[in-house]
Amino acid sequence: MRTLYLDCGMGAAGDMIMGALLSLIDDKDEFIKEINSIGIPDTLISYEYSSKCGISGIHISVKTAGAEERQDVTSECGHGHNHHHAGMDDIRAIIDNLKVSDRVKKEVNDIYIMIADAESKVHGEDVSKIHFHEVGMMDAIADITGCAMLFEKLSVKSIYVSNVNMGFGKVRCAHGILPVPAPATAELLTGIPCYAGKIEGELCTPTGAALLAYYATAYSNMPLMRIVKTGYGCGRKDFEAANVVRAVLGETDTGADSIIELACNIDDMTGEEIGYVTERLLKEGALDVYTTAIGMKKNRPGIKLSIICKNHIRERMSELIFKHTTTIGIREYICNRTVLSRSEKETDTPIGKVRIKHSYGNGMHKIKPEYEDIKRLADETGKSIREIQNIIIKNTDFCKEDD
């Protein structure tokens, strides 16, 4: 399985991640030409080779209105008030008009929503009232869109991220002197293994934190993998350690990712209410929702409601749990899981087309017909589920997986 490992031992910023990803593709000039043609307003993106502590990597430059200002996306670190500002509606309009795939548009929009939510929580304001510094906004749109486009080109199935070095100290922002990591960055890093390290300064930016939170499927050291290519994205500043994000592209036999388990105990809801919230959570993107019968205080029978989800929708899941259940507290656990690679293909059988699910890796290959197709064929033919399964199994072609 195609796997990417990001080493964030010197933190992460949007331009550093973009530079590291760009270093992994062959035709860098063609990509720069492509991203400059997608319609980011009044913005020009370029790259140059740079060296940090003797390591050669790529530095990304973004110029808006002819000037480069490495201003990050958040409103908390704006440079004064003499620049235009924009809200989420303005940002959505820009993203919607970009000449990129629907996948890239969705990912860029999702990441900006994460950032806006973090800003909203930090400043105690509604998301609709959050405004971003215009130059920094274009800079961040370029970084986030560039990363989304490069992830799409690299077609990786699993993304591992190391522990993130945040740095320490203070940073001067429009609102005053704030601690490192900046409040929005700290909010975005919730659930991500990180540390202060020994270097004073802001090493992880809000844009970098949001990109890691959105794309990471697991947080760990580099897994067992066959390395295909290694690249480096360089930051602007010089430190005693190489100021780079390292990206390692490789192949693994199995996949792993990091997931969140949310859990709460409930003893005063009906079965219908539990059924509704289960369906709603699954519809909103939960990977799995299940209940466990438990005994609670005062000898009351109750249930433990467990929700498995990706880190980037953790807040949305918590919001739905509080809204649709009677619980007043949610427990949260970070879990690592190992998964087989999966694919699905439609196959002709003597009684009709059936989707076959293939799971493979680690020397294994498991095959299972899609239940909804079996159910449909049973309804159409009047045969039992078991009869339909036997007919499919006897079809010798269904177990062949394309290379």
Side-chain angles (χ1 to χ4, degrees):
M1 180 172 64
R2 197 169 174 86
T3 299
L4 180 71
Y5 174 67
L6 295 176
D7 184 344
C8 300
M10 279 297 290
D15 59 328
M16 293 171 70
I17 297 174
M18 183 176 169
L21 298 177
L22 181 62
S23 66
L24 297 177
I25 68 172
D26 293 329
D27 199 338
K28 299 171 180 56
D29 292 332
E30 181 62 28
F31 175 79
I32 294 298
K33 180 180 178 181
E34 179 184 354
I35 194 171
N36 280 320
S37 69
I38 64 174
I40 302 176
D42 204 19
T43 298
L44 180 66
I45 301 161
S46 61
Y47 79 96
E48 62 182 1
Y49 288 97
S50 179
S51 179
K52 299 293 179 181
C53 295
I55 296 177
S56 177
I58 288 179
H59 172 255
I60 297 294
S61 171
V62 179
K63 292 184 178 180
T64 300
E68 182 178 18
E69 182 174 347
R70 287 312 307 181
Q71 147 83 31
D72 209 276
V73 64
T74 66
S75 61
E76 65 193 12
C77 292
H79 298 293
H81 301 281
N82 58 333
H83 294 283
H84 295 293
H85 290 71
M88 276 303 299
D89 288 342
D90 302 302
I91 292 169
R92 288 193 186 97
I94 292 172
I95 295 171
D96 287 343
N97 288 319
L98 295 179
K99 298 174 185 177
V100 294
S101 68
D102 289 340
R103 168 185 165 177
V104 169
K105 286 183 181 181
K106 179 183 183 304
E107 291 177 356
V108 176
N109 187 66
D110 287 349
I111 292 169
Y112 247 106
I113 290 173
M114 290 172 60
I115 295 170
D117 285 343
E119 285 280 352
S120 173
K121 189 170 182 178
V122 165
H123 296 298
E125 294 182 342
D126 188 83
V127 172
S128 62
K129 296 181 180 180
I130 297 297
H131 289 81
F132 300 101
H133 180 284
E134 187 177 43
V135 175
M137 179 189 72
M138 293 304 178
D139 198 329
I141 287 177
D143 288 342
I144 295 170
T145 305
C147 288
M149 292 170 66
L150 287 163
F151 276 123
E152 184 178 49
K153 289 182 181 296
L154 290 169
S155 298
V156 292
K157 301 298 183 183
S158 187
I159 301 170
Y160 289 78
V161 174
S162 71
N163 296 340
V164 180
N165 188 349
M166 303 177 298
F168 70 92
K170 305 292 182 182
V171 60
R172 183 176 295 278
C173 299
H175 297 288
I177 297 175
L178 300 178
V180 171
T185 304
E187 183 64 30
L188 289 161
L189 288 171
T190 300
I192 297 177
C194 47
Y195 61 101
K198 298 180 179 180
I199 294 177
E200 185 172 3
E202 185 183 26
L203 300 185
C204 186
T205 69
T207 305
L211 286 164
L212 297 180
Y214 187 82
Y215 284 108
T217 52
Y219 300 102
S220 71
N221 293 327
M222 191 174 82
L224 178 64
M225 59 192 291
R226 294 178 294 278
I227 295 177
V228 174
K229 196 170 185 179
T230 301
Y232 298 87
C234 298
R236 289 178 302 130
K237 298 179 180 180
D238 292 314
F239 297 103
E240 58 182 332
N243 187 22
V244 298
V245 167
R246 177 163 60 180
V248 182
L249 185 65
E251 295 287 340
T252 58
D253 291 330
T254 58
D257 59 9
S258 181
I259 55 175
I260 302 295
E261 179 182 348
L262 303 174
C264 59
N265 296 350
I266 299 170
D267 65 357
D268 55 354
M269 289 180 64
T270 67
E272 289 91 346
E273 291 172 318
I274 294 295
Y276 174 80
V277 71
T278 297
E279 293 175 2
R280 183 64 185 273
L281 290 165
L282 288 168
K283 184 178 180 181
E284 292 277 350
L287 298 174
D288 197 7
V289 182
Y290 61 94
T291 60
T292 307
I294 58 175
M296 298 180 61
K297 62 184 179 182
K298 299 182 181 179
N299 297 317
R300 295 173 182 169
I303 67 154
K304 174 184 174 184
L305 179 65
S306 300
I307 299 91
I308 307 298
C309 67
K310 295 287 189 178
N311 183 66
H312 70 274
I313 62 170
R314 181 186 77 259
E315 292 291 337
R316 177 58 176 161
M317 293 292 103
S318 296
E319 177 186 334
L320 290 170
I321 294 167
F322 281 128
K323 181 176 182 179
H324 295 291
T325 74
T326 56
T327 192
I328 59 173
I330 301 171
R331 301 182 299 279
E332 180 177 311
Y333 310 93
I334 299 176
C335 309
N336 291 326
R337 65 173 182 172
T338 301
V339 297
L340 297 178
S341 299
R342 284 164 284 185
S343 66
E344 179 181 282
K345 70 173 183 177
E346 192 173 66
T347 302
D348 289 319
T349 75
I351 54 175
K353 292 184 179 296
V354 176
R355 286 169 293 170
I356 305 298
K357 296 185 288 188
H358 295 259
S359 303
Y360 48 90
N362 208 28
M364 300 181 183
H365 186 188
K366 302 180 181 181
I367 303 165
K368 184 179 181 181
E370 171 57 54
Y371 170 75
E372 292 299 328
D373 290 347
I374 295 175
K375 177 183 174 183
R376 171 180 53 81
L377 291 172
D379 290 339
E380 291 175 357
T381 63
K383 298 180 182 296
S384 69
I385 292 290
R386 182 60 58 85
E387 288 176 308
I388 296 296
Q389 289 175 328
N390 289 337
I391 292 172
I392 294 173
I393 290 172
K394 291 178 181 178
N395 176 15
T396 57
D397 291 333
F398 95 99
C399 63
K400 293 179 180 178
E401 170 68 356
D402 293 335
D403 294 329

